[in-house]
């Protein structure tokens, strides 16, 4: 090959790579300039804080002295809002309400469709969000509620009894308690009671809540760096440590899905239309009403004809592995 042509080609490649890697869209908010193929600016975020990317973004906001950041996450131009005013503005604009496919959401795909609230978009997302916001308020969340305050009092009493009676428990041993885990269990119990109408008591209840709490935290822990990396670079799932993280994510998702399924089956088998005592009961009633009315526009009918609510939310498919 002619050396001159080789040098010209090399210079052109370097020029276009440099222009691309330092290029920023017009009117893009402040943010890092250099970005890498596949990853974009995600490596810069991980270098700031590998385990807690939200803290890394906070540092970057301080560094660039801006409440709004502009950067690339993989091939996607991304705007990050860090103050209340900007966040509200973004959430009110439909163009910012979409969701991209990622490893965590693909683990929960069922019949080719994503379910839940976090990973969905459009009419399905709006309908599900409004339903749960309305019915969770009915059971005390987001407002003063005598019933919820009574349940909170009962949780505090249970905690005091637990600390007095338990002498050798992983959460309380030799006079030392695991904080904040011990307090988190009470909050989790209140949330599950509003959702499923079930309250867990005693040592067995604490052990179950502790397991759910631990699985949830670990799920978030592994999905923080792993999910984003595999979204941008899918073939990284064959490389350590991501291959192990993906296996752990799937196992944790299975554990949480099993609890969700068991809870749903229990509510379905004991459902009484005249006694709606939790958000899941209200959802089941909505499903039955939609089915009886032949409503084809609502998204609630999909759950009645295929699988129960929580199973649809949490059912796992391993096609991504």
């Amino acid at each position: 090959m002619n050396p001159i042509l080789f040098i010209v080609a090399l210079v052109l490649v370097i020029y276009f790579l440099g222009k691309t890697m330092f290029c920023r869209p017009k009117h893009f908010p402040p943010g890092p300039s250099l970005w890498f193929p596949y990853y974009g600016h995600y490596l810069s975020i991980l270098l700031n804080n590998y385990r807690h990317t939200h803290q890394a973004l906070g540092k970057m906001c301080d560094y660039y002295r801006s409440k709004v950041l502009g950067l690339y996450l993989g091939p996607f131009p991304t705007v990050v809002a860090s103050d209340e005013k900007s966040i509200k503005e973004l959430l009110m604009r439909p163009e910012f309400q979409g969701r991209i496919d990622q490893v965590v959401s693909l683990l929960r795909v069922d019949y080719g469709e994503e379910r839940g609230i976090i990973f969905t978009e459009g009419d399905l997302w709006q309908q599900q969000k409004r339903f749960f916001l309305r019915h969770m308020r009915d059971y005390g969340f987001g407002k003063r509620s005598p019933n919820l305050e009574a349940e909170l009092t009962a949780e505090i009493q249970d905690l005091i009894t637990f600390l007095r009676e338990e002498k050798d428990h992983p959460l309380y041993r030799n006079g030392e308690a695991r904080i904040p885990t011990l307090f988190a269990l009470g909050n989790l119990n209140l949330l599950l009671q509003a959702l499923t109408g079930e309250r867990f008591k005693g040592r067995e209840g604490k052990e179950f809540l502790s397991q759910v709490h631990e699985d949830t935290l670990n799920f978030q822990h592994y999905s923080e760096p792993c999910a984003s990396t595999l979204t941008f670079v899918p073939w990284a799932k064959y490389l350590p440590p991501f291959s192990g993280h993906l296996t752990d994510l799937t196992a944790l998702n299975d554990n949480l899905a099993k609890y969700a399924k068991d809870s749903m089956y229990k509510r379905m088998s004991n459902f009484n239309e005249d006694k709606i005592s939790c958000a899941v009961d209200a959802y089941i009633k909505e499903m039955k009403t939609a089915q009886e009315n032949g409503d084809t526009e609502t998204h609630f009918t999909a759950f009645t004809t295929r699988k129960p609510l929580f199973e649809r939310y949490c059912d796992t498919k391993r096609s991504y592995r």
Side-chain angles (χ1 to χ4, degrees), residues 83-320:
D83 67 305
E84 183 179 355
K85 180 180 178 181
S86 301
I87 291 172
K88 283 185 176 180
E89 182 180 353
L90 289 178
L91 292 178
M92 293 298 292
R93 298 175 62 175
E95 57 266 35
F96 290 103
Q97 294 177 3
R99 304 289 189 273
I100 63 172
D101 289 334
Q102 57 170 309
V103 58
V104 179
S105 61
L106 291 175
L107 283 174
R108 297 159 64 118
V109 167
D110 191 17
Y111 290 95
E113 300 178 14
E114 295 176 358
R115 292 298 181 184
I117 297 176
I118 298 176
F119 302 116
T120 55
E121 59 185 357
D123 292 338
L124 173 61
W125 174 75
Q126 291 184 356
Q127 193 177 73
Q128 302 297 305
K129 182 192 70 170
R130 289 171 181 169
F131 176 87
F132 277 102
L133 285 177
R134 183 175 78 249
H135 287 282
M136 290 301 285
R137 281 184 60 85
D138 291 342
Y139 297 102
F141 282 82
K143 67 176 184 179
R144 290 292 301 271
S145 169
N147 292 335
L148 185 62
E149 290 175 2
E151 294 297 336
L152 178 59
T153 302
E155 283 296 326
I156 295 173
Q157 187 60 51
D158 285 350
L159 176 60
I160 294 173
T161 303
F162 175 80
L163 294 175
R164 285 176 176 173
E165 297 180 355
E166 292 293 340
K167 302 300 181 182
D168 186 23
H169 191 279
L171 294 176
Y172 183 63
R173 183 175 295 168
N174 299 325
E176 296 181 355
R178 287 182 59 186
I179 304 297
T181 302
L182 201 58
F183 293 148
L185 301 188
N187 293 330
L188 179 60
N189 210 6
L190 291 173
L191 176 61
L192 293 179
Q193 186 170 358
L195 280 171
T196 67
E198 189 173 10
R199 185 166 180 264
F200 300 91
K201 302 178 181 179
R203 184 185 180 96
E204 291 184 358
K206 284 286 190 294
E207 291 177 353
F208 173 79
L209 292 171
S210 179
Q211 186 62 53
V212 173
H213 175 67
E214 184 177 349
D215 287 345
T216 303
L217 289 182
N218 286 332
F219 187 86
Q220 295 174 343
H221 170 76
Y222 284 118
S223 63
E224 181 85 356
C226 176
S228 298
T229 299
L230 296 183
T231 298
F232 311 142
V233 192
W235 48 264
K237 65 183 178 181
Y238 300 111
L239 305 175
F242 301 109
S243 57
H245 287 178
L246 183 58
T247 301
D248 293 333
L249 270 174
T250 304
L252 292 167
N253 191 58
D254 286 342
N255 292 343
L256 295 172
K258 183 180 183 304
Y259 162 69
K261 294 175 186 179
D262 292 343
S263 297
M264 186 61 199
Y265 289 139
K266 187 180 296 184
R267 299 310 301 182
M268 289 286 287
S269 61
N270 299 320
F271 178 70
N272 184 349
E273 188 172 346
D274 297 325
K275 189 178 180 181
I276 305 300
S277 59
C278 62
V280 171
D281 283 348
Y283 201 104
I284 296 172
K285 182 178 180 179
E286 191 77 18
M287 291 194 302
K288 291 181 176 295
T289 301
Q291 188 179 39
E292 292 170 358
N293 295 337
D295 189 350
T296 58
E297 297 296 327
T298 178
H299 293 285
F300 292 98
T301 54
F303 298 105
T304 62
T305 56
R306 294 178 185 171
K307 293 187 177 182
L309 165 65
F310 271 15
E311 184 174 357
R312 297 286 293 149
Y313 275 7
C314 302
D315 197 14
T316 56
K317 295 295 176 183
R318 296 169 178 78
S319 58
Y320 189 77

